Amino acid sequence: MQIPPDKNLKERFFNAFASRPRPLATQILRPAVNYDGDRLRELLATNTSTELSVYDLRTEVEGNLWMLAPEAFRYFLPTFLYASLESYASLSIFVSELVGALTEPSRTDVVEALDRATSLPSGLGLPDDMTELLRKQQLEWFDSGTPLAIFHERFDSLTPAEGGAILDFFAALQETHGADFPFGELEIAVDRYWSRYRAFMDN
């Protein structure tokens, strides 16, 4: 059953990020993104944060959060946070992706995720050669330093109010849908980075 979030959370999220300017078209996607991001760039360049619909998030933004430049990620984040709680049933895949984007990357996470993938019963997982290729690619990607750089470019400049709002999001998600994150993903995200903002949560 969908549990509606506290309406005060919407105000909390948008007020916290109110000073973030709408990004220019050149600030929407990371420079490394090629023409594959054209549809996403057009969507975000022609809509304000409050104009994005659940359909937009599910069909265009989902699977593409990695493409967003820091300015765009921060500007649209209030919508991402509130829609994730308000429309969780429709956006559960997007929510998992958002939680991942809000989690400071760790090499251990990559290894454990790959280990879980290889422990699937025969016939359900990828062939061994593909699994090994995936492991090599994922670890090389992490070791390049890019995932950590993306995370810190997005979040190291947050204000205390913004960080506190994100912590409120994790608290609400834990309360309503914590069971959907059986590997402790929400607690890991908070403990690793967001716990520093506890003093700025909306009590």
Side-chain angles (χ1 to χ4, degrees):
M1 182 178 70
Q2 179 71 36
I3 302 173
D6 183 345
K7 293 297 182 183
N8 291 331
L9 279 176
K10 183 175 185 178
E11 182 179 358
R12 164 81 162 147
F13 295 155
F14 280 91
N15 284 348
F17 288 86
S19 65
R20 295 293 176 178
R22 185 175 178 181
L24 302 173
T26 56
Q27 296 174 311
I28 289 176
L29 302 184
R30 295 176 54 239
V33 177
N34 57 26
Y35 63 87
D36 290 337
D38 286 351
R39 285 168 57 96
L40 181 60
R41 181 187 289 106
E42 181 179 359
L43 171 70
L44 299 184
T46 55
N47 287 274
T48 66
S49 185
T50 56
E51 290 172 336
L52 287 183
S53 67
V54 170
Y55 178 81
D56 292 332
L57 296 178
R58 192 175 64 246
T59 60
E60 297 296 340
V61 183
E62 182 179 296
N64 293 320
L65 281 178
W66 67 272
M67 293 185 181
L68 296 185
E71 297 86 353
F73 195 98
R74 291 188 292 260
Y75 173 75
F76 289 102
L77 187 53
T79 289
F80 297 164
L81 298 175
Y82 190 70
S84 293
L85 297 172
E86 184 184 43
S87 303
Y88 180 85
S90 299
L91 294 173
S92 59
I93 295 174
F94 173 79
V95 177
S96 294
E97 183 185 2
L98 179 62
V99 168
L102 292 170
T103 303
E104 186 177 32
S106 161
R107 198 177 199 273
T108 300
D109 294 343
V110 178
V111 172
E112 290 179 350
L114 291 167
D115 287 345
R116 286 196 295 270
T118 58
S119 67
L120 292 172
S122 178
L124 295 180
L126 295 172
D128 290 345
D129 56 343
M130 291 186 65
T131 299
E132 286 308 308
L133 177 60
L134 179 63
R135 180 182 295 272
K136 181 175 183 293
Q137 291 174 338
Q138 291 295 307
L139 291 176
E140 286 180 351
W141 168 245
F142 181 85
D143 291 339
S144 73
T146 302
L148 270 172
I150 291 173
F151 181 88
H152 289 290
E153 286 169 359
R154 287 173 170 176
F155 303 124
D156 280 358
S157 68
L158 293 190
T159 66
E162 290 169 337
I166 292 173
L167 201 51
D168 283 337
F169 164 75
F170 277 110
L173 187 60
Q174 179 67 57
E175 180 179 357
T176 54
H177 301 290
D180 291 343
F181 297 88
F183 299 108
E185 295 94 329
L186 305 183
E187 296 90 341
I188 288 170
V190 169
D191 291 345
R192 194 173 290 170
Y193 191 83
W194 302 104
S195 59
R196 68 191 68 186
Y197 294 105
R198 287 197 192 282
F200 303 98
M201 290 181 71
D202 191 23
N203 297 314

